[in-house]
Amino acid sequence: MEVISNIFNFFVTLLKDPRSVILGWIAVLGPVGVFTPLFLVVFIETGIVFFPFLPGDSLIFAAGVFSAEGGVPDGGQNLNIWMTLFVFYAAAILGNTSNYWIARFFGERIIKSGKVKGMTKERMDKLNSFFDRYGGLTVVITRFMPFFRTFAPFACGLGRMKFGVFTIWNTIGGVAWVTTFALIGYFFGNVPFVQEHFSVIVIGIVLVSVMPAVIGVIKAFIDSRKKKK
C-alpha cells in the first residue's frame, strides 16, 4: 500500500508542479541523465492507454524553460534545447507507435475488460467524429488534447489504419506538439511574469489544452438532446 501511495503522490506532484520535479531530477541525474525520466513520462502518457492523465504539455513546457540560458535557477547548467526537442520527438512518436500496436493486438480485449476508465463512450464517439471529419489529421489535432492524444493512436490501431499512413500523421503531430510547447517554454519561460506565476501558467496550459475536448463533449451532449426531442 505504501508503494501505491508513493506512486500516487508522485503523479499528483508531477501534475501540480512539474518544475520542482524536473529540478529534482536535474540535481540527482544531471542535465543529461534527466532526459531518461523525461522520455519515459511522455512515452508512457502517449504509449500506454492506461496512463492518459500524465502531464505531457506542462512537462515539455517546463523542460523548454530549463533549456533556455539561465532557465535553471541558482546558476545551474541548463538543458540543451536540441536534445530536449529530439528526446521528446522520440518519446512522442515511439509512444504513439507503441499504442497503435497494443491496440492492433490487444485492443478488443482491453475495451471488453472495462479497465480503462478514461475510455468513455463520449470520448470514443468524439474521436470517431474527428476521424469521420478529418481522417488521419485527427492524430495531429488530438496531440494538443489531453486524454484524446492517448486514445487516438489506440483508435487507429483498433480501426487498422495502414501503419505507413499512421506513421506519417504520427510524426507530423509529434513534432508539432513537442516543438510548440518546448519553444514556448524556451523563449518565454524566463520572462519575470512567467517565473513568478509558473504554477498558474502550467494550470492554464492544461485548461487550454482540455478546453476543446470539453466543448466537444458539451456540443455532442446538446446535439443528442436535440435529436431526442
Side-chain angles (χ1 to χ4, degrees), residues 74-120:
D74 302 322
Q77 184 178 348
N78 58 288
L79 308 183
N80 181 283
I81 184 58
W82 292 109
M83 194 166 180
T84 297
L85 288 170
F86 284 111
V87 166
F88 282 133
Y89 289 158
I93 294 168
L94 292 176
N96 262 18
T97 302
S98 167
N99 207 337
Y100 172 91
W101 286 110
I102 287 173
R104 284 286 292 261
F105 289 112
F106 309 108
E108 294 290 349
R109 272 182 274 176
I110 290 172
I111 290 177
K112 288 178 181 177
S113 72
K115 291 182 179 179
V116 185
K117 303 301 181 184
M119 194 176 285
T120 62

Side-chain angles (χ1 to χ4, degrees), residues 9 25 45 101 111 115 138 149 226:
N9 289 334
W25 288 339
E45 184 205 2
W101 286 110
I111 290 177
K115 291 182 179 179
T138 300
R149 69 168 152 262
K226 287 179 178 179

Side-chain angles (χ1 to χ4, degrees), residues 185 187-197 201:
F187 287 114
F188 299 103
N190 282 330
V191 174
F193 178 84
V194 175
Q195 289 286 344
E196 292 167 10
H197 302 88
I201 289 171

Side-chain angles (χ1 to χ4, degrees), residues 21-32:
V21 174
I22 296 175
L23 279 175
W25 288 339
I26 292 173
V28 174
L29 302 172
V32 176

Side-chain angles (χ1 to χ4, degrees), residues 28-217:
V28 174
L29 302 172
V32 176
V34 70
F35 286 109
T36 298
L38 290 176
F39 174 92
L40 287 173
V41 171
V42 172
F43 176 86
I44 291 170
E45 184 205 2
T46 58
I48 302 178
V49 75
F50 298 99
F51 294 93
F53 53 83
L54 292 179
D57 298 334
S58 54
L59 194 76
I60 295 170
F61 171 78
V65 172
F66 294 138
S67 300
E69 192 68 38
V72 179
D74 302 322
Q77 184 178 348
N78 58 288
L79 308 183
N80 181 283
I81 184 58
W82 292 109
M83 194 166 180
T84 297
L85 288 170
F86 284 111
V87 166
F88 282 133
Y89 289 158
I93 294 168
L94 292 176
N96 262 18
T97 302
S98 167
N99 207 337
Y100 172 91
W101 286 110
I102 287 173
R104 284 286 292 261
F105 289 112
F106 309 108
E108 294 290 349
R109 272 182 274 176
I110 290 172
I111 290 177
K112 288 178 181 177
S113 72
K115 291 182 179 179
V116 185
K117 303 301 181 184
M119 194 176 285
T120 62
K121 183 179 184 302
E122 290 80 6
R123 288 190 180 122
M124 296 310 292
D125 287 346
K126 184 63 178 175
L127 268 177
N128 289 332
S129 69
F130 267 123
F131 278 114
D132 290 341
R133 185 172 182 181
Y134 300 109
L137 187 60
T138 300
V139 181
V140 178
I141 296 169
T142 54
R143 275 290 188 182
F144 296 85
M145 302 166 66
F147 287 94
F148 286 101
R149 69 168 152 262
T150 302
F151 299 142
F154 188 89
C156 290
L158 200 62
R160 298 192 173 272
M161 177 186 286
K162 289 183 179 179
F163 182 63
V165 174
F166 170 77
T167 299
I168 292 171
W169 291 115
N170 177 29
T171 302
I172 294 171
V175 170
W177 177 52
V178 169
T179 301
T180 298
F181 284 99
L183 293 188
I184 287 174
Y186 181 76
F187 287 114
F188 299 103
N190 282 330
V191 174
F193 178 84
V194 175
Q195 289 286 344
E196 292 167 10
H197 302 88
F198 194 90
S199 298
V200 176
I201 289 171
V202 165
I203 293 171
I205 288 171
V206 174
L207 291 176
V208 169
S209 300
V210 171
M211 195 58 65
V214 173
I215 292 171
V217 170

